[in-house]
Amino acid sequence: FYPNDILILAWSGMILGNLKINHLFNEQYEKLIDTLNDLFTDKGVAWASTVDFADLDDTSIVLRLLYLNKRVKSSKIDVLKKFYTPEKKRFRCVSQEADGSLSHLFECLTVLTLVDIDFKGESLKEILKKQIFMVLAENKNTYEDKFHMSPNYTIAMGIGVMLKEASDYAVKNM
């Protein structure tokens, strides 16, 4: 592995899973998931195993993969609480950052859509959705994600998450 090992594994696994072709690479995919599971710490993960801190998007992507492949326990999901600042009711990408980028927030929402976490009686998913709407409202169509070149990536992520949530709601209430 080299300094982007986790990022490459996580994004490769995410793409294979999203395209629903992971079964075509079953042995390699299982090894990829096992490796990500081994690299996951009580802090979460960053883009590289050589980095000593975790960031929200890589942690979220890996958690989602581990959850969907039945390799995650609730204690691993609880790591998302470390990216939440209760005083400000905001998530951030890394511990010293003021705010997270929109794509990081959407990556986290993909996990919280699968399994919500309670934080002192509040749903982190609902808090995160409010933060996302606030960021979008503050920037009024001029939002530029600090990590992703294309605004289409962030928009596509948001649409995907919201459509899944709407679909889940419809199924539960039919």
Side-chain angles (χ1 to χ4, degrees):
F1 292 117
Y2 54 92
N4 285 328
D5 57 343
I6 295 175
L7 179 138
I8 291 168
L9 290 171
W11 281 75
S12 298
M14 180 178 69
I15 291 167
L16 291 171
N18 288 348
L19 293 174
K20 309 258 188 260
I21 60 172
N22 50 314
H23 65 281
L24 299 174
F25 307 93
N26 199 39
E27 186 177 320
Q28 298 91 336
Y29 187 77
E30 289 298 317
K31 184 177 178 192
L32 179 148
I33 298 299
D34 288 341
T35 301
L36 288 172
N37 193 34
D38 292 343
L39 293 169
F40 200 89
T41 71
D42 62 345
K43 295 183 213 173
V45 294
W47 59 92
S49 56
T50 56
V51 175
D52 194 30
F53 59 88
D55 69 0
L56 182 60
D57 68 326
D58 293 301
T59 296
S60 296
I61 291 169
V62 171
L63 274 174
R64 182 173 179 269
L65 285 168
L66 295 177
Y67 182 85
L68 292 174
N69 288 280
K70 305 194 181 354
R71 301 265 196 358
V72 70
K73 296 178 181 152
S74 61
S75 60
K76 281 188 179 177
I77 299 276
D78 282 347
V79 76
L80 292 176
K81 291 178 183 178
K82 295 181 180 188
F83 297 95
Y84 176 61
T85 308
E87 305 80 43
K88 295 184 179 182
K89 289 196 174 220
R90 294 185 68 94
F91 282 84
R92 65 215 181 296
C93 177
V94 294
S95 62
Q96 301 305 315
E97 187 177 52
D99 290 312
S101 75
L102 199 54
S103 60
H104 287 81
L105 300 176
F106 277 127
E107 293 291 3
C108 184
L109 189 57
T110 65
V111 176
L112 293 175
T113 300
L114 295 171
V115 55
D116 198 2
I117 301 172
D118 184 68
F119 188 86
K120 297 183 180 178
E122 291 188 79
S123 158
L124 285 186
K125 179 174 75 172
E126 294 306 314
I127 292 168
L128 183 57
K129 284 170 37 180
K130 287 177 189 172
Q131 182 178 348
I132 289 169
F133 290 131
M134 188 172 68
V135 170
L136 290 169
E138 287 171 356
N139 293 287
K140 296 182 184 150
N141 299 325
T142 61
Y143 187 82
E144 291 182 24
D145 193 291
K146 67 181 179 181
F147 290 109
H148 298 283
M149 298 293 284
S150 170
N152 297 328
Y153 172 78
T154 304
I155 292 166
M157 288 210 37
I159 291 170
V161 169
M162 296 306 178
L163 285 175
K164 170 152 183 16
E165 192 163 293
S167 172
D168 290 348
Y169 178 83
V171 168
K172 287 178 187 174
N173 293 293
M174 289 185 126

